[in-house]
Amino acid sequence: MTPAAETTAGTGTGVNGPAAKARNGLRSELQRPLVLGIETSCDETGIGIVRGTTLLANTIASSMDEHARYGGVVPEVAARAHLEALRPTLDAALAEAGVTLGELDAIAVTSGPGLAGALMVGVGAAKALAISLGIPLYAVNHLVGHVGADLLHRPDEPEHELELPTVALLVSGGHTSLLLVRDLVNDVELLGETIDDAAGEAFDKVARLLGLPYPGGPQIDRAAASGDPAAIRFPRGLTAPKDLERHRDDFSFSGLKTAVARWVEAARDRAADDRAADDRAADDRAADDGAVDGSSAAFSIPDVAASFRESVADVLTAKAIAACQRLGVPRLLLGGGVVANARVRQLAQERADAAGVTLRIPPLSLCTDNGAMIAALGARLISEGHKPSGLDFGADSTLPVTTIQV
Ligand code: KG4
Ligand code: ZN
């Protein structure tokens, strides 16, 4: 279907009231509702517009730059940024989709999990819009939204079904979760998650201790490209036999981060000692503090980056593929910002191929936090006949993944 046809299909006055809906054919509207999705669970203000599974707009404003000097997302800063970004992002999404607020059939919003103050901004905006437009509101789970991203296709792309059941590995700065999705809107099970840092958070923290700027994931990925992944054997969290008994599908990255920190510290100490010895031998040379802190003189950043990245990619992909095999599910779906990682993608593909598992990776713009995935999940809830959420729900920072809709 062409973009023009998509847009025309949703225009025409008076499509909103129940009577008008009946006139225009309720069934087809339910199958392809025009849904606005609002996502504010972390530092991205995401507004998406879909018609059924067709992606019409995916507009994002990120407050990442405002968090850079803190080395991680600051909840209050994120919440305020959402407040400022929401209206312009909404306007941009409507313009991109070529629709007006009056044409929308429903609103979907992330109600959790995420940062409480950030979530509240999106939830408040969604309620206000739904009330003023007189249309239904669907409060949905952010993590399930990441899976819903795979429903979407651009207007010029053919439709494809989200094949189920699937195992889903969601890895970002805020989450590291392994899910078994039997039915997107009725049956999602949490197999495991991180017991400490999220995978992206580990990238950010290790980058910081290597002196690389925030966000650290892309920086480490870049540095790792010229490094030797076998240079240092960093630990693989929760993969020892005794850990697997209790945490078969869980992840842990804080031990890895500490191991990298210790290794870097030891390398810097060694470099400082060598330098001191050199200085003693040649006392006409002045001591240079830079050698202690100047990481490049002490060790190879690319080697540390590549070895660290290898550990993360190894554990993530090994556990995800092992879950597919154990459960007899021949599909793995990836989501979250860490999916951008070159080694994670490569190793996931290699291991999926070897295990006869089909790997699905949505476009990166739909893997990172966005409103389109939330709209897609809302549209699927509608087309499967689920009732709206009403208005008495709130933001729930720890919403369990089993609660697909609040
Ligand atoms: O999904 P996302 O955009 O948003 C939040 O979690 O809010 O994920 C961002 C995370 C950051 O921790 C970032 O460092 C990480 O994803 N990331 C990467 C890469 N690109 C982004 N991690 C590893 N390798 C990358 N290439
Ligand atoms: Zn996310």
Side-chain angles (χ1 to χ4, degrees):
M1 191 167 280
T2 64
E6 279 300 322
T7 307
T8 317
T11 55
T13 51
V15 292
N16 268 314
K21 289 253 159 72
R23 270 202 311 279
N24 294 339
L26 188 62
R27 177 157 304 162
S28 67
E29 290 231 0
L30 285 180
Q31 289 308 313
R32 298 180 52 71
L34 185 66
V35 181
L36 177 93
I38 302 179
E39 154 62 40
T40 63
S41 67
C42 192
D43 59 339
E44 269 101 16
T45 312
I47 305 281
I49 300 175
V50 306
R51 176 174 292 287
T53 57
T54 307
L55 176 64
L56 301 182
N58 182 16
T59 311
I60 309 273
S62 173
S63 59
M64 189 193 291
D65 292 350
E66 294 176 54
H67 308 287
R69 67 194 169 111
Y70 304 104
V73 176
V74 182
E76 293 79 2
V77 174
R80 193 170 324 123
H82 285 309
L83 216 45
E84 285 163 11
L86 228 142
R87 188 63 211 254
T89 312
L90 172 64
D91 290 343
L94 291 166
E96 187 183 327
V99 301
T100 61
L101 282 175
E103 294 170 32
L104 297 173
D105 292 314
I107 310 260
V109 63
T110 301
S111 64
L115 304 171
L119 288 166
M120 273 180 224
V121 178
V123 167
K127 287 183 181 178
L129 275 171
I131 292 168
S132 63
L133 298 170
I135 55 176
L137 177 59
Y138 290 79
V140 303
N141 189 300
H142 173 84
L143 293 172
V144 183
H146 273 296
V147 182
D150 197 36
L151 290 167
L152 290 169
H153 62 95
R154 293 187 184 279
D156 57 353
E157 289 171 346
E159 284 190 31
H160 69 87
E161 237 330 296
L162 168 65
E163 289 193 59
L164 298 170
T166 186
V167 169
L169 173 68
L170 308 180
V171 275
S172 75
H175 29 262
T176 307
S177 307
L178 198 58
L179 313 181
L180 171 59
V181 184
R182 294 190 193 87
D183 178 328
L184 183 68
V185 291
N186 294 303
D187 187 356
V188 178
E189 181 183 334
L190 179 69
L191 298 171
E193 61 189 339
T194 181
I195 60 168
D196 40 57
D197 294 344
E201 196 180 354
F203 272 96
D204 296 334
K205 288 178 175 173
V206 166
R208 193 176 165 94
L209 68 90
L210 293 177
L212 299 172
Y214 176 86
Q219 300 284 337
I220 291 201
D221 213 10
R222 209 167 299 134
S226 58
D228 174 7
I232 310 148
R233 175 78 193 175
F234 286 129
R236 268 62 173 161
L238 299 183
T239 55
K242 71 170 183 10
D243 291 328
L244 286 175
E245 277 171 30
R246 275 192 59 211
H247 292 291
R248 188 178 50 192
D249 295 325
D250 290 328
F251 303 92
S252 167
F253 297 106
S254 97
L256 169 62
K257 175 197 63 194
T258 306
V260 177
R262 292 224 176 96
W263 192 94
V264 166
E265 199 180 0
R268 283 178 179 156
D269 286 350
R270 267 196 313 276
D273 289 349
D274 289 352
R275 186 121 202 136
D278 286 353
D279 285 347
R280 278 195 298 277
D283 55 9
D284 57 340
R285 214 165 71 201
D288 178 4
D289 274 354
V292 180
D293 291 323
S295 332
S296 57
F299 59 86
S300 155
I301 286 184
D303 281 355
V304 177
S307 302
F308 162 75
R309 180 179 73 163
E310 191 65 18
S311 169
V312 178
D314 182 17
V315 177
L316 288 176
T317 56
K319 290 204 174 208
I321 295 291
C324 291
Q325 291 180 310
R326 187 181 77 245
L327 299 164
V329 173
R331 284 171 217 102
L332 175 62
L333 172 71
L334 303 186
V338 178
V339 169
N341 191 271
R343 185 59 180 150
V344 169
R345 296 171 82 93
Q346 183 189 36
L347 207 50
Q349 193 64 64
E350 276 173 29
R351 289 179 170 172
D353 289 346
V357 167
T358 305
L359 181 68
R360 293 240 10 131
I361 310 180
L364 199 58
S365 58
L366 292 173
C367 281
T368 51
D369 288 349
N370 68 87
M373 68 185 193
I374 301 305
L377 179 54
R380 182 51 59 99
L381 283 162
I382 294 169
S383 61
E384 301 238 339
H386 286 241
K387 299 228 163 353
S389 302
L391 293 170
D392 57 350
F393 69 90
D396 182 349
S397 60
T398 60
L399 186 70
V401 75
T402 42
T403 305
I404 300 161
Q405 181 197 353
V406 177

